[in-house]
Amino acid sequence: MAAKLNEIILHNTLSNRVEPLAPIHPGEVRIYTCGPTVYSFAHIGNFRTFIFQDVLRRFFRLRGLRVLQVMNITDVDDRIIHNAAAASVPIREYTEKYVRAFLEDIDALHIEMPEELVRATDHIDDMVTLIEKLQAKGLTYSSDGSVYFRISKFPDYGKLSKIDVSGMQAGARVDVDQYEKDDARDFALWKSPKPGEHFWETRIGMGRPGWHIECSAMAMKYLGDTIDIHTGGVDLAFPHHENEIAQSESATGRPFVRMWLHSEHLIINGQKMSKSLGNFYTLRDLFAKGYKPSTIRFLLLSVPYRRQLNFTEDGLVQAKNSVERLRNFVARLKAEQFAAGSNPEIEKRIEKAEGEFDAGLADDVNTARALAAIFDLVRDVNAAMDRREFLQQNAPRTVAAMEKFDSVLALLVDDDDEKLRLLGIAPRKPQLPVSQIEGLIEERNAARRSRDFKRSDEIRQQLSDSGILLEDSKDGSVRWKYK
RNA sequence: GGCGCGGUCGCCAAGUGGUAAGGCAAAGGUCUGCAAAACCUUUAACGGCGGUUCGAUUCCGCCCCGCGCCUCCA
């Protein structure tokens, strides 16, 4: 299916095909995103998914759509309760550190804050209310103080993941939690506490919410019974999203989500990322190894979201150099002097690129196509500049186009060192104050004017040792940038 | 086994029923005091076997290979 003019098509897991986006509320897209479980630092794979939904929402906004996005933070689950108990701290205190780290991480990657970032533990009452609704409809049963959803009461179960649950016999599998269930397929809405575990005292008894109910409760609270888009990693389609559908649609009698968007996983050097293989990276691990936030953002967004991304050292190098090319281009546009006038051919060329960029993203967020549109433009405009066919009035227009692209990509601003500093990661090179950098450049210019190239090269080397690269341009000006 | 995602130049990755974008890397050149940046040129790819078709990388079938999910998991 090809997108019609101005149409945005997206692959819907529910139908397993691409469909045009048609928001329920005209002009506004409502999105629910499964956020992190804060039992530890988020890993690089998580951020692939988060960067995908970030690109998605940024593209919607570029299209003039309003975005209302809710992301949950799962700050209660078995691992959190276990780890907090082991550390002898309240769960809120235990998770706080990782919530903060997550916020810092998404900031470093230029992932926009969703309109609502909500914590599960702030919505226990909403979950209890939803469970009561299901209980009132006779869709649940209790066992040892826990409440389960009876899947046999929801005939559509499996419609998202296309998993045939009829083969999952009662008792065929042992639930990891060792709770008593009537049917292996049933899942917990509410879990009774084991001795010493954290619990809430509620109308449905003591305990804590199941994982799935929190997303249903929070999604519907903020976005309504039926929401436009629900995003998450492919692994969540079953059982998490399937269970969300069962609970939500049973409670409301209405479709829960119109479009399910699932991003494929990241694999590392061709293998699944796992702790046992020792290829498990957090963002901070990569930053500590010297990789920049913008490098990681580029790599993670450059591969379309429905394609598995093989994360390699080589890929990082390629990503870094690609970002450099884009930044060099904008720096040249801003620094170089061009002859007066405006070349209408350039204007047309920019419009073509804008059209291609938009068409790429409108085609199921095909970031590879969108990037190709930009790189095509970069090459053509660079060539025009070299041929002196690029004129003064073309520059602001071209910069504006690049900034428009960057409202989605968020790669151009060179704030990598600043972001790393915010994370407490020291720069690898000694930092020079800008005034000193500029002073040294001035001194080097003087040396060059007097053809003292030995001195001029010394200064260039000195700056290079501090992580500063110089570029002498044709018109005599000197640009500098961080490596 | 069921359900998915893939296999396109050295690497990453678009795309199309009429022999194929873009990025990175490589080689040569232009520019430069030298670099850097940029540009130009060059190199080079559709897993295999059948089928449909005038014609398939693109559609269909089978096979091979990689990865994922099938109640921890983005």
Side-chain angles (χ1 to χ4, degrees), chain A residues 440-460:
Chain A
L440 283 165
I441 289 173
E442 197 38 59
E443 193 187 335
R444 174 170 171 272
N445 284 345
R448 291 179 71 210
R449 276 194 295 275
S450 56
R451 304 192 65 78
D452 181 359
F453 296 123
K454 183 167 175 294
R455 177 62 189 144
S456 124
D457 288 350
E458 274 172 14
I459 294 171
R460 183 165 64 195

Side-chain angles (χ1 to χ4, degrees), chain A residues 32 61 159 177 287 357 419 445 451:
Chain A
Y32 185 85
R61 291 233 317 265
K159 69 179 175 180
D177 296 324
F287 292 156
F357 178 80
K419 293 297 185 193
N445 284 345
R451 304 192 65 78

Side-chain angles (χ1 to χ4, degrees), chain A residues 355-367:
Chain A
E356 288 170 350
F357 178 80
D358 180 84
L361 292 177
D363 177 16
D364 198 24
V365 201
N366 191 332
T367 46

Side-chain angles (χ1 to χ4, degrees), chain A residues 153-166:
Chain A
K153 297 280 191 181
F154 188 70
D156 275 351
Y157 196 81
K159 69 179 175 180
L160 178 71
S161 54
K162 280 80 180 171
I163 280 174
D164 180 7
V165 291
S166 63

Side-chain angles (χ1 to χ4, degrees), chain A residues 74 85 100 106 108 261 272 293 301 308:
Chain A
T74 298
R100 198 165 56 243
I106 64 174
L261 272 44
K272 183 182 177 174
L301 68 70
Q308 281 176 169

Side-chain angles (χ1 to χ4, degrees), chain A residues 39 78 99 197 282 301 383 410:
Chain A
Y39 69 101
D78 291 353
V99 171
E197 284 184 348
T282 65
L301 68 70

Side-chain angles (χ1 to χ4, degrees), chain A residues 90-212:
Chain A
I91 62 168
R92 191 82 181 194
E93 187 179 317
Y94 176 80
T95 57
E96 200 56 48
K97 173 184 173 189
Y98 299 113
V99 171
R100 198 165 56 243
F102 177 68
L103 295 176
E104 290 169 354
D105 285 352
I106 64 174
D107 176 65
L109 290 176
H110 285 279
I111 293 170
E112 290 183 335
M113 278 292 283
E115 283 64 30
E116 299 283 350
L117 185 67
V118 295
R119 300 181 106 182
T121 53
D122 290 334
H123 296 78
I124 301 295
D125 193 56
D126 298 295
M127 299 173 205
V128 168
T129 301
L130 184 56
I131 292 170
E132 285 176 324
K133 209 165 170 179
L134 296 170
Q135 284 178 323
K137 292 193 175 196
L139 307 174
T140 69
Y141 59 92
S142 297
S143 168
D144 288 342
S146 293
V147 182
Y148 296 94
F149 184 90
R150 201 183 287 282
I151 281 178
S152 59
K153 297 280 191 181
F154 188 70
D156 275 351
Y157 196 81
K159 69 179 175 180
L160 178 71
S161 54
K162 280 80 180 171
I163 280 174
D164 180 7
V165 291
S166 63
M168 293 169 61
Q169 296 301 317
R173 294 237 188 182
V174 180
D175 183 77
V176 288
D177 296 324
Q178 302 288 333
Y179 290 98
E180 289 302 317
K181 298 193 288 189
D182 286 3
D183 188 314
R185 305 170 298 170
D186 295 340
F187 57 90
L189 297 165
W190 188 257
K191 296 180 176 184
S192 64
K194 293 179 198 135
E197 284 184 348
H198 185 92
F199 64 87
W200 281 263
E201 185 76 61
T202 72
R203 296 188 297 276
I204 56 173
M206 295 187 305
R208 61 177 185 274
W211 175 33
H212 317 296

